[in-house]
Amino acid sequence: MTASSFNWWRSDSHHGTPVVVKMENPNNWSMVELQSPTEDDFLNDNVSKGHNKNAKQLTWVLLLKAHRAAGCITSIAPATFFLASAVRRRLSAGRTDTEKTGKTGSRFYLFIKIFLLVSIILLIFEIFAYLKGWHFRAPDLDLGYLYLLKDGFSVKGLFDWVYSRWVWIRVGYLAPPLQVLANACIYLFLIQSLDRLVLCLGCFWIRFKRIKPVPKERLPDLESGDNEGFFPMVLVQIPMCNEKEVYQQSIGAVCNLNWPKSKILIQVLDDSDDPTTQLLIKDEVHKWKNEGVNIVYRHRVIRDGYKAGNLKSAMNCGYVKDYEFVAIFDADFQPNPDFLRKTVPHFKDNEELGLVQARWSFVNRDENLLTRLQHVNLAFHFEVEQQVNGIFLNFFGFNGTAGVWRIKALEESGGWLERTTVEDMDIAVRAHLHGWKMIFLNDVECQCELPESYEAYRKQQHRWHSGPMQLFRLCLPDIIKSKISIWKKANIIFLFFLLRKLILPFYSFTLFCIILPMTMFVPEATLPAWVVCYVPATMSILSILPSPKAFPFLVPYLLFENTMSVTKFNAMISGLFQLGSAYEWVVTKKSGRSSEGDLVSLVESKEIQQAVSEPDLEKLEAELKEKEKKKKHNRIYTKELMLAFLLLTASARSLLSAQGIHFYFLLFQGLSFLLVGFDLIGEQIAS
């Protein structure tokens, strides 16, 4: 942000809208810059002819905006029709999230169904009571009146007697523990909000002071023929598994890295179990090898340990001892040619530095609403969390890709371990315990791809939130026994793990999806309006600051984060208690939008035709695309759908108590769950 951005309050700042509209008809118009009238111009009695023209042109601008607004309103009907037809298709297809696994009776899902059933029964019961004159608007009822209710002679009829007993049970037995639980979640919510506020203040301080890691030596320009300088041996690894959509662009980007050819070796670590995908990747490697690139292809026969096992196997190669650093890029990442030249120099004369992590950028962030909301979340993660922790603590979670490790740091920390699904966070924590420092470069970006379908995003988030809990259970004794300072131990245990990995998904789901609906049916336990509305809105504004263009998506972001809490909470519980889905690893599906036609050009390229003569790659590719096309379809997500009906039921109950803010929050949150439950937020697969 430039200095001029902060001068908006100055008296000599520009006024008005500096545009003029030239229009022949509503569909043929153009805009050019023009100095708009100031307040002094309007106060002047002798208004010039030019200013009158400006007023007319401003009127045209307003009419144009009104025309666009009317167009948005008229699009509501087609959008509603599209949503209705999409829901009808989902219901007729009958595909649910339990179709592949066959698991329909999980305890978590059973709990939600029972909760929903009880809520519907209570809603019907409360409506009958309301019609019979039981109107409770204030949450704190008169206890003296309740003592009268306990007396059987003070009520008339069987229903009144039953409802009076229900009110007494609510006040005496249900409300107190529910209020205690609500207060506990509110405290956790405030602590987490304070943590987020501190992170934002740290980010502001970094920007204000213009703090950023600076390498001690800049590398010479290779194109000028100057090869002297700090050019250590660098190993580059590209782990992949059945990622036929993106392999070509990632291999091509890595092979174009600006680094002396004698100082770099590229390992393509292919764990694919599909023979066609293996053949395509092998041919791509062969093509680049013929062009003089130092690149090797590795394929494991025994694919144990997922990505960690793949990286561990590659590091066991005998030639690795000749290399000092290793850069890792996932299959959908495309580093710029100067990536190594911007990251590796930070290691010079800094023997304590173990990791340099770059920021991610996204080629498809504007693809749909789901990718836009993901971008808001990840922009805050990199801009605020990673940058602040890197500057002030020299520790953060490795993102698993777009980073450069000192091989000595990996070896001293125990290397890659297959014990969790977050091998990147695992190695980062162990390296920190061994005294290694880390640097995050916010100004060095590496392009990648966001999941475009809710199914892919859901599975990714499950792995990202179950893995940390697995790791916390395993490494807690090592953290306590380590020789790092007490405050560093406290930071890892209480902030890094408990607050940001456990408490955040716990209170988000419990407070807004369980306790809030319960307080509608037990109104004697309350959640203040500032907890439901004002603090979440403030935290959402702070989260969206790193991506200011996403401010129109502020409300959808808030609702979607609460909607994702069901997946994150389920994953957190699975990882913490080692349930069956905790060790589930599913490779995130990619679309390869940044490389359309890559596979076609692969088949047409001369090098591949020369390298492969027997198989018909074009035929294999056509079969592969057809097979993949049949696999893709939208689903109905049962947990999200049940929670949608639960929240909508609670919103109906809140109307009886005239709780305005609670009603609107529950209504819109329920609709958000409904959209996600019918898979209407991400990629829409044509039937």
Side-chain angles (χ1 to χ4, degrees):
M1 184 177 292
T2 60
S4 60
S5 304
F6 298 94
N7 295 335
W8 56 270
W9 59 83
R10 292 175 55 182
S11 60
D12 58 346
S13 60
H14 184 73
H15 296 275
T17 306
V19 297
V20 59
V21 178
K22 297 180 179 180
M23 173 179 289
E24 297 178 2
N25 56 66
N27 296 321
N28 184 14
W29 57 278
S30 61
M31 301 177 69
V32 296
E33 292 186 359
L34 182 72
Q35 178 65 42
S36 299
T38 62
E39 293 178 3
D40 295 335
D41 296 329
F42 287 109
L43 293 175
N44 191 355
D45 293 332
N46 300 321
V47 181
S48 65
K49 183 178 179 181
H51 289 149
N52 285 329
K53 183 183 293 186
N54 289 340
K56 293 180 181 179
Q57 291 158 351
L58 184 60
T59 303
W60 276 111
V61 172
L62 296 177
L63 288 175
L64 273 174
K65 292 185 177 296
H67 179 70
R68 290 181 179 178
C72 293
I73 294 175
T74 56
S75 65
I76 294 177
T80 305
F81 177 77
F82 168 77
L83 292 176
S85 61
V87 171
R88 187 171 63 252
R89 289 196 303 270
R90 304 285 190 277
L91 294 174
S92 61
R95 296 189 180 98
T96 66
D97 53 340
T98 61
E99 186 180 70
K100 289 185 177 181
T101 60
K103 298 177 182 179
T104 57
S106 66
R107 295 177 182 177
F108 188 54
Y109 179 53
L110 182 62
F111 167 76
I112 295 175
K113 286 198 297 185
I114 294 175
F115 194 9
L116 173 61
L117 180 62
V118 172
S119 299
I120 293 175
I121 294 173
L122 288 177
L123 177 62
I124 297 173
F125 189 49
E126 293 289 346
I127 291 175
F128 274 111
Y130 186 84
L131 295 176
K132 292 182 72 66
W134 293 81
H135 299 168
F136 294 121
R137 294 183 178 242
D140 47 347
L141 302 177
D142 185 359
L143 292 181
Y145 178 62
L146 293 175
Y147 277 109
L148 293 177
L149 293 180
K150 192 176 181 182
D151 185 4
F153 295 101
S154 62
V155 296
K156 299 179 180 180
L158 178 62
F159 181 85
D160 292 327
W161 183 85
V162 172
Y163 190 77
S164 66
R165 293 300 182 272
W166 163 240
V167 173
W168 182 259
I169 292 172
R170 276 180 2 204
V171 174
Y173 299 97
L174 299 181
L178 181 59
Q179 190 65 60
V180 170
L181 182 60
N183 292 339
C185 287
I186 291 173
Y187 292 141
L188 295 177
F189 176 46
L190 293 177
I191 293 173
Q192 196 275 332
S193 300
L194 180 62
D195 173 63
R196 179 154 294 202
L197 179 61
V198 170
L199 288 173
C200 290
L201 292 175
C203 183
F204 174 78
W205 183 257
I206 291 172
R207 283 196 171 191
F208 180 73
K209 290 293 186 178
R210 297 181 180 179
I211 304 173
K212 70 174 184 177
V214 179
K216 295 184 179 180
E217 177 181 320
R218 294 188 178 274
L219 293 180
D221 187 6
L222 290 178
E223 295 181 358
S224 64
D226 186 5
N227 291 338
E228 296 182 1
F230 183 64
F231 289 102
M233 300 288 285
V234 178
L235 179 68
V236 181
Q237 296 177 331
I238 314 176
M240 57 181 63
C241 180
N242 295 325
E243 292 169 289
K244 53 192 170 297
E245 299 88 357
V246 293
Y247 74 92
Q248 192 174 28
Q249 62 198 38
S250 62
I251 294 176
V254 171
C255 289
N256 284 310
L257 286 172
N258 189 3
W259 202 255
K261 292 184 178 181
S262 60
K263 301 285 188 178
I264 186 173
L265 172 65
I266 301 169
Q267 288 181 319
V268 177
L269 311 177
D270 182 22
D271 256 7
S272 304
D273 56 3
D274 179 72
T276 306
T277 305
Q278 294 177 25
L279 181 61
L280 294 171
I281 296 174
K282 190 181 299 183
D283 290 329
E284 181 69 14
V285 171
H286 184 74
K287 181 187 74 173
W288 284 102
K289 195 167 188 178
N290 288 340
E291 294 182 4
V293 177
N294 193 11
I295 184 172
V296 295
Y297 173 86
R298 282 181 53 85
H299 177 75
R300 294 193 302 161
V301 178
I302 302 176
R303 300 166 56 247
D304 292 336
Y306 303 110
K307 181 181 176 181
N310 197 0
L311 294 172
K312 182 179 180 180
S313 174
M315 294 299 292
N316 289 331
C317 295
Y319 52 76
V320 172
K321 67 179 183 297
D322 299 328
Y323 294 84
E324 189 176 355
F325 303 100
V326 55
I328 302 172
F329 300 100
D330 282 351
D332 60 317
F333 278 72
Q334 306 167 58
N336 293 324
D338 60 352
F339 182 88
L340 294 179
R341 297 173 61 80
K342 289 184 176 180
T343 54
V344 174
H346 289 272
F347 289 98
K348 183 174 176 58
D349 299 330
N350 193 354
E351 296 299 325
E352 295 181 341
L353 182 60
L355 168 67
V356 174
Q357 172 73 60
R359 178 175 179 161
W360 300 358
S361 61
F362 309 102
V363 297
N364 62 336
R365 67 181 188 181
D366 297 326
E367 185 62 32
N368 54 45
L369 179 59
L370 178 61
T371 57
R372 290 176 183 270
L373 298 179
Q374 289 180 70
H375 176 254
V376 173
N377 217 351
L378 289 171
F380 180 85
H381 170 68
F382 287 110
E383 182 87 12
V384 180
E385 292 178 339
Q386 296 290 76
Q387 184 174 210
V388 170
N389 289 324
I391 292 293
F392 295 106
L393 302 176
N394 291 123
F395 167 69
F396 48 83
F398 174 45
N399 293 118
T401 178
V404 182
W405 276 95
R406 188 188 297 271
I407 294 180
K408 182 181 178 181
L410 289 176
E411 293 173 346
E412 288 188 357
S413 304
W416 299 104
L417 299 180
E418 308 98 323
R419 57 182 182 173
T420 71
T421 59
V422 284
E423 74 293 326
D424 44 10
M425 185 182 295
D426 189 356
I427 188 63
V429 170
R430 286 184 281 119
H432 183 59
L433 296 181
H434 282 79
W436 290 99
K437 294 183 179 180
M438 305 170 192
I439 286 179
F440 177 77
L441 302 179
N442 193 54
D443 56 345
V444 179
E445 297 184 354
C446 187
Q447 285 191 336
C448 63
E449 186 177 311
L450 291 166
E452 295 182 5
S453 69
Y454 179 68
E455 180 184 12
Y457 180 64
R458 188 171 180 249
K459 290 178 179 178
Q460 180 197 70
Q461 292 301 303
H462 186 279
R463 176 163 54 87
W464 285 4
H465 286 82
S466 65
M469 290 299 97
Q470 304 169 25
L471 180 60
F472 179 65
R473 295 177 63 261
L474 294 171
C475 70
L476 182 59
D478 296 332
I479 296 174
I480 296 175
K481 297 176 184 177
S482 66
K483 297 180 181 180
I484 61 176
S485 62
I486 295 179
W487 75 270
K488 287 186 177 180
K489 293 180 182 179
N491 172 66
I492 296 179
I493 294 174
F494 295 107
L495 291 180
F496 185 77
F497 277 115
L498 291 181
L499 184 60
R500 297 167 189 164
K501 303 297 188 296
L502 189 148
I503 291 178
L504 178 57
F506 172 79
Y507 89 75
S508 182
F509 174 76
T510 306
L511 185 62
F512 296 111
C513 300
I514 299 298
I515 294 178
L516 179 58
M518 289 181 68
T519 57
M520 298 299 101
F521 297 100
V522 186
E524 295 75 26
T526 60
L527 281 180
W530 58 268
V531 174
V532 178
C533 180
Y534 304 124
V535 176
T538 304
M539 292 301 103
S540 297
I541 291 174
L542 292 177
S543 300
I544 216 166
L545 284 178
S547 50
K549 292 183 179 180
F551 262 96
F553 302 96
L554 177 64
V555 174
Y557 171 74
L558 170 61
L559 297 175
F560 182 68
E561 280 300 291
N562 289 335
T563 304
M564 284 304 301
S565 66
V566 59
T567 297
K568 297 176 181 179
F569 178 83
N570 189 27
M572 182 267 293
I573 294 297
S574 299
L576 191 62
F577 297 103
Q578 290 185 297
L579 302 180
S581 60
Y583 294 93
E584 182 184 46
W585 180 290
V586 180
V587 177
T588 305
K589 292 293 183 182
K590 316 295 190 312
S591 65
R593 291 189 181 275
S594 58
S595 60
E596 293 181 4
D598 279 345
L599 296 177
V600 177
S601 63
L602 174 67
V603 177
E604 294 176 350
S605 64
K606 182 177 179 180
E607 292 85 354
I608 293 178
Q609 290 177 357
Q610 293 175 350
V612 182
S613 57
E614 293 182 1
D616 186 355
L617 287 182
E618 188 173 357
K619 182 178 179 181
L620 289 174
E621 181 58 30
E623 293 177 356
L624 201 61
K625 286 184 177 180
E626 186 65 25
K627 186 191 300 182
E628 193 64 26
K629 185 178 180 181
K630 292 180 180 179
K631 288 182 180 179
K632 296 179 68 174
H633 48 255
N634 295 106
R635 300 175 182 275
I636 294 176
Y637 296 95
T638 52
K639 294 187 186 72
E640 287 82 352
L641 212 54
M642 292 299 103
L643 281 169
F645 295 140
L646 170 63
L647 294 174
L648 292 176
T649 303
S651 68
R653 172 62 181 88
S654 68
L655 285 176
L656 303 181
S657 302
Q659 294 175 295
I661 292 180
H662 297 72
F663 165 73
Y664 289 113
F665 181 88
L666 288 166
L667 175 63
F668 289 113
Q669 191 64 69
L671 293 176
S672 175
F673 269 103
L674 197 65
L675 291 174
V676 173
F678 281 114
D679 199 4
L680 298 172
I681 190 173
E683 181 184 13
Q684 301 300 302
I685 310 299
S687 301

